[in-house]
Amino acid sequence: MIKIAQDIALMDMAYSLAEKARGQTSPNPCVGALIVKEGKIVGWGCHQEAGSPHAEIVALDRAGNLARGSTLYLTLEPCIHWGKTPPCADRLVKAGFKQAIISTYDPNPLVYRKGVAKLRAAGIKVVTGVLAEKQARLNETYNKYIVKKIPFVTLKAALSLDGKIAASSGDARWISSDESRRFGQELRAEYDGIITGINTILVDDPLLTVRLEHFVKKRWSRIILDSKLRFPLEARLLKNLEEGKVLIFTSYKSSREKAKRLTEKGAEVICVPERKNRLSLRAILKELGRREIASVLVEGGAGVMTSFLEQKLPDKAFFFISPKLIGGAKAPTMFEGQGAGRVSRATELKNIRTLRLKDDIIIEGYF
């Protein structure tokens, strides 16, 4: 019983290391590692970004010869294939570990169970499953992307108590509190990109950046859905391209001349098929996956949100509920369209968690 409690505590520390790189490792997972010998931590590390050494290799380099005969605590199964780095399992075998406590198998089809099998074949005792539930949430975006090759999709919206996302005039500043908007920036920092519709660009002319003092620059994409290519040539998005790529998805019927002018200003214009007079969201997600964009935060208006929900594409949502009543039959709500014919057929969030920030309530849940 004492040994089990010790393993849980040490794996928890390994997860704390993995958390340090949250939002920085895409399209790779967040991984932490500890090496323990005779009750002492002799090596530790986390994977910091794609292309950098994996967590177990960082820990192994710190431990050096002390790794021989020790126990490795690793939050995710070691890789066995060449990517941007060599196979980790080979290094672990050569290091002479006595035991490896591995939280979960890697869902990557190239790795799944093979890394653990290689360690066992080399005579290393392997235990799996310790704090596996932490891996499921920490790497939820990776877990989907690496199997389906399309991004993990999260909706984010600020709502009044009566479900409005703006007043009838279109004004939405500000439904949520300063504290909630700060939290929204923290969310942006965890994703690879943001999706919004052309109406948001035309009305607000936003920058769609991550505005945090401690934010470490990374791959970040601003993704605009614009079927008729109405994107303004003077939009602020085109004046800060160092803050992230601008990807404009449009239809094959849109103006080639306009596309050329936007391309000259640094944007990427990508044509996709239409579905019922709307851009095919599935085609867009497939193209984003091809570009190794593993997660997106959808912050669009009613049209964009409704399209994603009607096609059952979101994986998760963050709803910021403000204690305001806006009213107005013409004021937009987040989910419009035809809606459910019966309450029993309503879309329902699962695995709910809530957080209160000042007077706002934030609901986090999964579809």
Side-chain angles (χ1 to χ4, degrees), residues 2-12 73 99 101 130:
I2 294 175
K3 181 67 170 67
I4 293 173
Q6 178 180 303
D7 287 343
I8 291 173
L10 289 167
M11 186 62 77
D12 201 34
Y73 290 83
Q99 181 176 226
I101 312 295
V130 178

Side-chain angles (χ1 to χ4, degrees), residues 233 262 296 302 305-306 349:
L233 293 169
L262 287 167
V296 288
M305 292 289 191
T306 299
L349 289 180

Side-chain angles (χ1 to χ4, degrees), residues 21-28 30 137-142 144-145 150-156 183-195 208-210 212 215-223 243-244 285 288 292-299 314-320 353 363-367:
R22 180 187 283 270
Q24 298 295 320
T25 63
S26 183
N28 291 353
C30 294
R137 193 175 282 268
L138 173 64
N139 284 314
E140 60 190 12
T141 60
Y142 168 79
K144 176 188 178 182
Y145 168 76
I150 59 173
F152 186 92
V153 177
T154 297
L155 303 186
K156 172 184 166 289
F183 182 74
Q185 289 291 315
E186 298 280 357
L187 277 182
R188 282 188 183 181
E190 293 186 11
Y191 286 77
D192 292 349
I194 182 172
I195 292 181
L208 302 180
T209 54
V210 180
L212 296 172
F215 179 62
V216 178
K217 295 292 184 184
K218 66 169 190 176
R219 236 173 21 115
W220 172 250
S221 297
R222 283 84 60 84
I223 303 153
E243 296 291 335
L285 293 179
L288 295 176
E292 293 191 336
I293 294 174
S295 62
V296 288
L297 195 62
V298 179
E299 292 191 23
D315 300 287
K316 186 177 182 178
F318 284 92
F319 296 136
F320 295 64
R353 293 197 299 186
I363 299 175
E364 173 190 3
Y366 296 82
F367 291 96

